[in-house]
Each structure stands twice: as C-alpha cells, then as structure tokens.
C-alpha cells in the first residue's frame, strides 16, 4: 500500500468528482486547532517534517486506483482519472517547535483542488497526533524546572510508529534521552535504560541481579530497587555500587509507592553510604501534573522518566483540528455552520510581544511589532529548504516559551492568550458572508462554493 492510500474514502470520491467536473483550479486549505484542550495554555507545532516528506513523494499509482475501485465497488476504469495524481502545490506552515494558539493555522496548503483534497487525512493525522504529544511533552519539561526528563513511552504508545514519534517529540521539546533504540538511532537521541522487575525476579536475590547486570553493562548503571522492599533494595544497590565504583551517571530507579517519600529515604541511604553522586530516577505513571507535585514537595529526584501518560497524551489525547477550504479559483470561501464557521482566504499569523497574536489576510501589512509565523516550506511540490533539525526546533521552542506569559505556562488552570482577528480579515469575512447569503437567497438552497 502506498502513502497515497492514507485517505478516507469520501476524499477519494470527492477528488474523482472534482476531476470529472473539471474543478482543478488552485484551492487553499487551512489546518488549525479550533480550540485548546482543557488544561492547555498553548500548543507546540509538530509533525510538519513527516508531512512534507509525504507530500514530496505523494503519487497515486495503479495499486491505489485498484484499491479505491474495490472500496467503491466500481470498475478500475471509473477510478482511472486519479492515476498519476501527485502533489505540485505550495505549503506555508509554522515550523516545528513554535508555540501556537487556538485558531492559528499550523499549515496552509494551496494546490489543484483534487490534490489538496486527497492529502487531508494524512496531514490531519500527522499534525494532530504530533502537536498533541509535543504539547504534553513540553509541559513536562516546564514542570521539571531544569531537572532531566526522559522518554519511557514505547511499550504503551499506540504502536511502534507512535512510539518513534513520541521519542522524537520528547527530544524536540527538551527531553534528555529515550529508551527507544530505534528512535535513538534514527534521530541521534541519547539512549537510556535500566532493567525490569522480571530481571530481578529471575535471579535468586537483588544483589546477584545487580552484579550480573553490571557485568553485562559496564559503566554507568541504573538499578531498579523496588521489586521487593524498597529500602532494602536501595541499601543493596548502594553496597554493590560502592564496591564497583559507580562512576558518573549511575543511578537507582524508583517505580512504585509514594515516590516523594521513597526518594527522601533513598537519598538518605545513598548519602550515608558515601554515594552523593548516585542519582535517583523516578518512573511509574508520571506526567506533568505528577512531576509538578514532586518538585513542589522537594523530592530529591534527579530524573523523571515519563511514559504512558505522555506518550498517549492521556488527559488530552487529541486536538479538535480542522482542514478547511478557504479559497478556490481565486475566490475566498467560508463555512457558516453554527459554532464551526471558518475565516475566508489565505492567511498570515503575526506574533507580537506578550503573545498578542493577530490572524490576518496573507498579504496584509503586518501590525506594529508583528513577525510572521507561517513560512513557505514547499513550492511546486518541492521543499524550499533542507529538512529541519531537532536542534533548531528545540531552540525555537526555548525562545517561544521564554516569552510566553506566565499564566499560559501554568500546568493547572492555565489562561491561554487569544489571537485577535485583523480588521482586514474581518472585513473580508463580512463581504464573503454577504455574497453567500445573496447566493443562497437567489438559489433557494445551497449556493456554489460556500461549503467546505
């Protein structure tokens, strides 16, 4: 199956209809989040790089046509107009790592209408999932207040590909390492790991297990100490580490119980054994809320290993994203549905100090102090620059978070900034609405080109 098959059936049906009706003029679609999930004061743009890879290689082949025909219960010949369809349009987007707000386009795509329609599902899937997880991961980094956060999510994400994405997004937002070997190799991320409780249980006792692990993994080691009795496990780990000479980077891991209290007891045992350099890693159902509480309690935890709740963004597992037609054949269009109305025309988002963002028409003059967020990243179906890097994305995010108002950075009950609409875009929306209403009145029904 080719990537062109990553689409909903209705999109293939619409694309075929457009081709048959000769509707191949340029169409512009905006992809954005209608609103922020609860407890979110901002979003982190992510997923653009794989989306551009997809668009660069998008082409409908014979096997895709055959699959579409089978799904529609139609002869191959009926779907043949789709054969060879590729992507040769323009993409303007917010680079990965930028902080964005509700209603601000993450991506704006302009291409012949059938092309633009067929890529909807893939683009929504990539940007929705990755922006969701990146936003959760960034909140963990904020909650940790400079202490290390590492990714332990692979075994609980929704499949290996989601695990790869979670590890990459953790690195993008400032995680120190990942346990995901494939992601470490693919993206140049530091790998980290420890042992499972099963490993301890397979040996006669903890000390035997610790020594065997250290023989196999010379250098810095992390011992899991809470399989049986946590205090006894810490004492045993301390004895083995002292005899082996721990070296920089060695640690113990706490994975159950009251992590704050257990960390205090563990720190006392390690310090009494003359091992102040041995770090304490905490894991077990952690996310930004738990990390914040542990930091506030003064728990002597050096590294937070976050997994399930972050890899699937458990408290807000999706974004209410939309991919909406805003212009066709040079004419701005909009949707008037109650609570889901759209703004017409190609756009730009200007960031002003204090996140006083303004959404306006693409070619409007920028407001005072405003810098554009949307950049042209693809023309004629080709990237305008080399692929972005995680390092650049991290720097963008660091700069954006530094300027984010404190009330939006809060982990609990944040107050997100709200973008404003420019006067020019408001006037355009009024004109388009009036035109649609006139057409509806004249036709007695649905007028042309007003719905997406």
């Amino acid at each position: 199956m080719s990537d062109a098959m990553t689409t909903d059936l209705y999109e293939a049906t619409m694309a075929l209809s457009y081709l048959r009706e000769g509707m191949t003029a340029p169409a512009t679609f905006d992809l954005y989040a209608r609103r922020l999930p609860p407890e979110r004061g901002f979003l982190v743009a992510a997923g653009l790089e794989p989306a551009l890879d997809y668009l660069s290689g998008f082409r409908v082949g014979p096997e895709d046509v055959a699959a579409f025909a089978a799904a529609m219960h139609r002869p191959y010949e009926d779907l043949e107009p789709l054969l060879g369809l590729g992507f040769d349009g323009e993409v303007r987007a917010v680079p990965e790592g930028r902080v964005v707000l509700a209603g601000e386009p993450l991506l704006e795509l302009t291409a012949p209408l059938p092309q633009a329609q067929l890529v909807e599902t893939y683009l929504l899937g990539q940007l929705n999932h990755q922006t969701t997880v990146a936003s959760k991961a960034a909140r963990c980094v904020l909650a940790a207040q400079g202490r290390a956060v590492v990714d332990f999510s692979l075994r609980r994400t929704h499949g290996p590909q989601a695990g790869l994405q979670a590890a990459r997004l953790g690195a993008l937002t400032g995680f120190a390492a990942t346990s995901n070997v494939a992601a470490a190799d693919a993206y140049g991320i530091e790998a980290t790991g420890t042992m499972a409780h099963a490993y301890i249980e397979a040996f006669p006792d903890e000390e035997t297990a610790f020594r065997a692990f250290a023989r196999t993994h010379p250098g810095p080691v992390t011992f899991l100490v809470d399989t049986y009795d946590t205090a006894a496990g810490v004492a045993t780990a301390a004895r083995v580490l002292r005899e082996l000479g721990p070296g920089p980077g060695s640690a113990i891991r706490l994975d159950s119980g009251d992590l704050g209290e257990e960390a205090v007891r563990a720190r006392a045992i390690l310090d009494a054994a003359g091992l102040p350099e041995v770090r304490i890693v905490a894991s077990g159902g952690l996310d930004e809320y738990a990390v914040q509480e542990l930091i506030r309690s003064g728990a002597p935890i050096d590294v937070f290993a976050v997994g399930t709740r972050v890899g699937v963004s458990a408290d807000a597992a999706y974004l209410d994203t939309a991919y909406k037609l805003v212009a066709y054949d040079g004419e701005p269009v909009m949707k008037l549905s109650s609570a889901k109305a759209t703004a017409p025309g190609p756009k730009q988002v200007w960031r002003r100090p204090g996140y006083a963002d303004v959404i306006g028409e693409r070619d409007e003059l920028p407001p005072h102090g405003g810098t554009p967020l949307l950049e042209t990243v693809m023309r004629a179906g080709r990237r305008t620059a080399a692929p972005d890097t995680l390092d650049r994305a991290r720097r963008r995010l660091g700069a954006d978070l530094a300027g984010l108002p404190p009330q939006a950075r809060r982990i609990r009950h944040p107050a997100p900034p709200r973008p404003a609409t420019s006067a020019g875009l408001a006037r355009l929306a009024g004109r388009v609405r009036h035109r649609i209403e006139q057409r509806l009145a004249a036709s007695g029904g649905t007028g042309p080109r007003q719905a997406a």
Side-chain angles (χ1 to χ4, degrees):
M1 183 179 76
S2 81
D3 282 345
M5 287 292 293
T6 309
T7 187
D8 278 331
L9 184 60
Y10 82 92
E11 290 163 7
T13 304
M14 289 191 294
L16 181 63
S17 177
Y18 292 146
L19 288 168
R20 290 187 178 280
E21 297 296 323
M23 296 176 65
T24 58
T28 299
F29 284 80
D30 281 353
L31 193 159
Y32 59 95
R34 288 191 179 98
R35 59 188 63 85
L36 300 186
E39 299 291 344
R40 297 291 188 273
F42 62 91
L43 298 174
V44 176
L48 177 61
E49 284 304 305
L52 295 181
D53 287 342
Y54 165 76
L55 292 173
S56 297
F58 178 82
R59 185 159 297 278
V60 179
E63 71 281 9
D64 303 315
V65 173
F68 289 143
M72 295 180 190
H73 306 289
R74 302 272 296 279
Y76 181 96
E77 293 75 18
D78 284 1
L79 278 296
E80 213 162 15
L82 294 172
L83 184 63
L85 198 69
F87 181 78
D88 57 14
E90 176 190 76
V91 177
R92 299 166 61 247
V94 178
E96 290 192 306
R98 295 302 308 261
V99 167
V100 292
L101 308 177
E104 298 180 343
L106 290 160
L107 176 147
E108 189 171 87
L109 179 147
T110 301
L113 182 56
Q115 298 178 22
Q117 193 70 74
L118 270 179
V119 300
E120 173 181 354
T121 291
Y122 189 93
L123 296 179
L124 276 170
Q126 286 290 340
L127 273 71
N128 188 319
H129 175 251
Q130 297 201 47
T131 298
T132 298
V133 175
S135 303
K136 180 79 169 175
R139 284 161 54 84
C140 290
V141 173
L142 288 176
Q145 297 183 21
R147 301 188 200 184
V149 182
V150 299
D151 163 52
F152 271 22
S153 69
L154 176 59
R155 293 183 295 170
R156 302 293 179 80
T157 53
H158 299 312
Q161 187 61 36
L164 273 172
Q165 291 178 354
R168 177 179 177 273
L169 298 168
L172 186 156
T173 55
F175 284 21
T178 180
S179 65
N180 188 329
V181 176
D185 178 65
Y187 303 120
I189 306 169
E190 182 71 23
T192 188
T194 173
M195 58 185 65
H197 292 291
Y199 183 84
I200 303 294
E201 294 167 345
F203 288 86
D205 54 58
E206 287 176 308
E207 182 167 345
T208 305
F210 292 160
R211 291 185 184 279
F213 190 83
R215 284 193 295 272
T216 302
H217 187 66
V221 292
T222 299
F223 292 148
L224 181 59
V225 296
D226 63 346
T227 303
Y228 304 119
D229 177 87
T230 302
V234 177
T236 300
R239 183 168 63 253
V240 173
L241 286 169
R242 191 172 58 246
E243 292 176 11
L244 294 175
S250 288
I252 62 162
R253 178 162 72 98
L254 302 170
D255 190 53
S256 59
D258 186 319
L259 294 174
E261 291 184 5
E262 296 292 358
V264 170
R265 283 193 283 266
R267 185 74 271 159
I269 294 169
L270 293 170
D271 290 349
L275 298 170
E277 73 279 15
V278 172
R279 300 184 299 167
I280 296 176
V281 179
S283 62
L286 297 182
D287 62 5
E288 70 270 40
Y289 303 107
V291 169
Q292 183 181 68
E293 292 306 312
L294 288 166
I295 292 286
R296 284 178 174 174
S297 74
I301 295 170
D302 303 289
V303 180
F304 297 98
V306 299
T308 304
R309 294 179 182 277
V310 177
V312 302
S313 189
D315 65 315
Y318 70 95
L319 291 175
D320 183 13
T321 47
Y323 181 85
K324 294 301 178 184
L325 182 69
V326 297
Y328 176 63
D329 198 11
E331 184 176 282
V333 300
M334 66 187 296
K335 178 178 173 181
L336 303 183
S337 304
S338 175
K340 287 190 175 181
T342 59
K347 298 173 188 66
Q348 182 56 273
V349 181
W350 291 281
R351 173 139 301 155
R352 296 187 297 175
Y355 281 71
D357 291 3
V358 176
I359 305 173
E361 296 182 83
R362 173 175 178 168
D363 296 325
E364 273 190 83
L365 291 174
H368 179 70
T371 58
L373 288 186
L374 290 163
E375 301 177 5
T376 301
V377 294
M378 183 172 274
R379 285 195 188 94
R382 296 179 180 274
R383 286 175 178 265
T384 57
D388 205 1
T389 67
L390 286 175
D391 187 55
R392 285 199 292 267
R394 272 193 298 268
R395 290 200 299 269
R396 288 189 204 105
L397 179 57
D400 276 6
L401 290 177
L404 192 64
Q407 61 268 28
R409 294 166 57 101
R410 290 201 299 256
I411 302 302
R412 292 193 181 276
H413 312 302
R418 295 180 180 274
T421 299
S422 75
L425 183 56
R427 286 192 295 269
L428 176 64
R431 291 195 299 271
V432 175
R433 176 183 289 271
H434 179 67
R435 187 189 72 218
I436 293 171
E437 290 171 345
Q438 284 187 317
R439 287 178 175 175
L440 287 170
S443 67
T446 303
R449 298 184 187 170
Q450 84 272 16

